[in-house]
Amino acid sequence: MRVLGIDPGLTRCGVGVVDGTVGRPLGLVAAGAIRTPADDELPARLLGVENGVQQWLDEHRPDAVAVERVFAQNNLSTVMGTAQASAIAIACAARRGLPVALHTPSEVKAAITGSGRADKAQVGTMVARLLNLDGPPRPADAADAVALAICHIWRGGAQQRVARAQQEFARKVELARQARGR
Amino acid sequence: MRVLGIDPGLTRCGVGVVDGTVGRPLGLVAAGAIRTPADDELPARLLGVENGVQQWLDEHRPDAVAVERVFAQNNLSTVMGTAQASAIAIACAARRGLPVALHTPSEVKAAITGSGRADKAQVGTMVARLLNLDGPPRPADAADAVALAICHIWRGGAQQRVARAQQEFARKVELARQARGR
C-alpha cells in the first residue's frame, strides 16, 4: 500500500510518500514541502497548494491519502491557512476517487512513538528509525507528513484486521446458528 | 459588472449573483444555497461545495467573485468548515482566472446599511430595498451572499473612482511640473 501523507499549510505544506503494509518493513518513496510565497494573495496561494498536491499525486500514484486533522484550538494565527490548505488537499484526492483519511496529531504521535504526547524530535527520530534513514526527512513538515503516512498504513492495517476478525466472528455465529437449526 | 457573492459554509453555502455598476440600479440575477449533508464525510462535502460553485460559475458567468473573509475569532465550532468551504470556493474562481475579493462581514454591513454593526434583519431589509424585492432572498445565507455581491460592486466602484482620481491628480501634477519646466 502506498500512502501520501499531507501536513497542510500555506507557507509550507509537508508531503511524504511511504510504501508499506503492517508487519513488513516500510519504505520511504519521497518527502518534501510545497511552498507558497507569504506575500502572494490567498487565491494564488491556494492554487499553488492545489498544483503542488496534483503533482505529487501524478508522480507517485498513492493508493490512499492521509491528511492531518486540523482543530480550531490550534494556533489561531495560522489555523485558517492550515484549514484552507487542508481543504484543497482533501479535494484534490477526493476528486480522483482516492480514499482520504484524517488523523489527529496525537493519533500520529501515538502510532509512531507509543505516546500521544511525544515531541517533534521524538517523532522525527522514530520516523528515521522506522524508515532506516540517517536522520528525519527535512524540512520538519516533510517528517510530519511521512509520520502521517506511516500512521495511516498501521492504523489502516489495524482497522482491516478488526474488520476481518468481525467477519470471521459473524461467520462462526452463522455456522453455529445453522448447526442448531439442523 | 456581474458579481457572484459567496457566503461560505459546509451545511449551507450562500450564493447570490447581482448585476450592477456604481450609480445605477442593481439587478438580482439569482440567489440560493449549496447544501451538503451533515452526516457525509468531509471529502464528499468539500466536493459537493466544489461542484455547486462550479455550477453557479458555469450558469451565471460572473466577472468577479466576492467571498466572505473568515476569521478564527468567529464561532469555533463551525469556523473550520467555513474556512474549508471558503478555500474551495476561492480556488474554483481563481482556477478560471476570475478576480476574487474577500470582504469582512462588517465591510459588507457598512456598505449595505451604513453601519458595520447592523444586524442580519437590517441587512436583509436593505438588500430587498436595493434590489426592489418584496423581501430578502431566502435562506438567510443567500441574502448574505447577495449583500456580499452588492458590497463588491460598490467597493470596487469606489476603489475605481479613487484610482481614477489619483491618476487625474498625478496627471495635473505632471502638467504643472512641465509648465514650470518651460
Side-chain angles (χ1 to χ4, degrees), chain A residues 50 70 72 80 83-84 86 95, chain B residues 50 70 80 83-84 86 95:
Chain A
E50 178 167 270
V70 188
M80 303 309 294
Q84 294 181 313
S86 81
R95 230 181 276 133
Chain B
E50 178 167 271
V70 187
M80 303 308 294
Q84 294 181 312
S86 81
R95 228 181 278 133

Side-chain angles (χ1 to χ4, degrees), chain A residues 42-44 46-47 50 70-73 76-77 79-80 82-88 90-92 94-95 100 102, chain B residues 42-44 46-47 50 70-73 76-77 79-80 82-88 90-92 94-95 100 102:
Chain A
L42 180 61
L46 294 176
L47 287 192
E50 178 167 270
V70 188
F71 290 104
Q73 288 75 15
L76 276 185
S77 68
V79 74
M80 303 309 294
T82 308
Q84 294 181 313
S86 81
I88 297 296
I90 293 167
C92 285
R95 230 181 276 133
V100 182
L102 305 176
Chain B
L42 180 61
L46 293 175
L47 287 193
E50 178 167 271
V70 187
F71 290 103
Q73 287 74 12
L76 275 185
S77 68
V79 75
M80 303 308 294
T82 307
Q84 294 181 312
S86 81
I88 297 296
I90 292 167
C92 285
R95 228 181 278 133
V100 181
L102 305 175

Side-chain angles (χ1 to χ4, degrees), chain A residues 19-110:
Chain A
D19 278 342
T21 44
V22 180
R24 296 269 184 86
L26 299 161
L28 178 64
V29 179
I34 299 160
R35 294 161 199 269
T36 70
D39 52 356
D40 271 12
E41 297 281 339
L42 180 61
R45 301 187 80 182
L46 294 176
L47 287 192
V49 171
E50 178 167 270
N51 290 336
V53 171
Q54 305 273 30
Q55 280 173 21
W56 279 75
L57 291 170
D58 284 341
E59 187 162 349
H60 299 293
R61 306 259 157 211
D63 304 304
V65 175
V67 182
E68 187 173 301
R69 189 184 289 277
V70 188
F71 290 104
Q73 288 75 15
N74 296 10
N75 185 346
L76 276 185
S77 68
T78 58
V79 74
M80 303 309 294
T82 308
Q84 294 181 313
S86 81
I88 297 296
I90 293 167
C92 285
R95 230 181 276 133
R96 296 175 184 224
L98 291 172
V100 182
L102 305 176
H103 302 292
T104 67
S106 56
E107 284 169 348
V108 175
K109 290 172 184 172

Side-chain angles (χ1 to χ4, degrees), chain B residues 150-172:
Chain B
I150 296 174
C151 168
H152 184 72
I153 290 168
W154 285 353
R155 279 172 64 95
Q159 281 156 10
Q160 281 162 25
R161 280 201 307 279
V162 168
R164 224 174 293 135
Q166 283 173 336
Q167 283 170 359
E168 183 66 9
F169 180 73
R171 198 178 63 84
K172 283 182 182 164

Side-chain angles (χ1 to χ4, degrees), chain A residues 105-182:
Chain A
S106 56
E107 284 169 348
V108 175
K109 290 172 184 172
I112 305 291
T113 73
S115 164
R117 297 196 212 154
D119 62 15
K120 283 210 170 249
Q122 200 180 339
V123 172
T125 302
M126 283 306 296
V127 163
R129 190 171 300 165
L130 292 165
L131 294 170
N132 208 13
L133 309 172
D134 290 336
R138 304 262 166 210
D141 310 80
D144 288 344
V146 169
L148 261 161
I150 297 174
C151 168
H152 184 72
I153 290 168
W154 286 354
R155 280 172 63 97
Q159 281 158 10
Q160 281 161 26
R161 283 202 303 280
V162 168
R164 225 175 294 136
Q166 283 173 337
Q167 283 170 359
E168 183 66 8
F169 179 74
R171 198 178 64 83
K172 283 181 180 164
V173 168
E174 176 61 19
L175 285 175
R177 201 188 57 77
Q178 289 177 359
R180 272 202 311 279
R182 249 186 266 143

Side-chain angles (χ1 to χ4, degrees), chain B residues 20-21 38 41 47 57 84 91 94 96 99 104 106 121 131 147 149 152 154 160:
Chain B
T21 43
E41 297 282 338
L47 287 193
L57 290 171
Q84 294 181 312
R96 297 177 183 221
T104 67
S106 55
L131 294 169
H152 184 72
W154 285 353
Q160 281 162 25

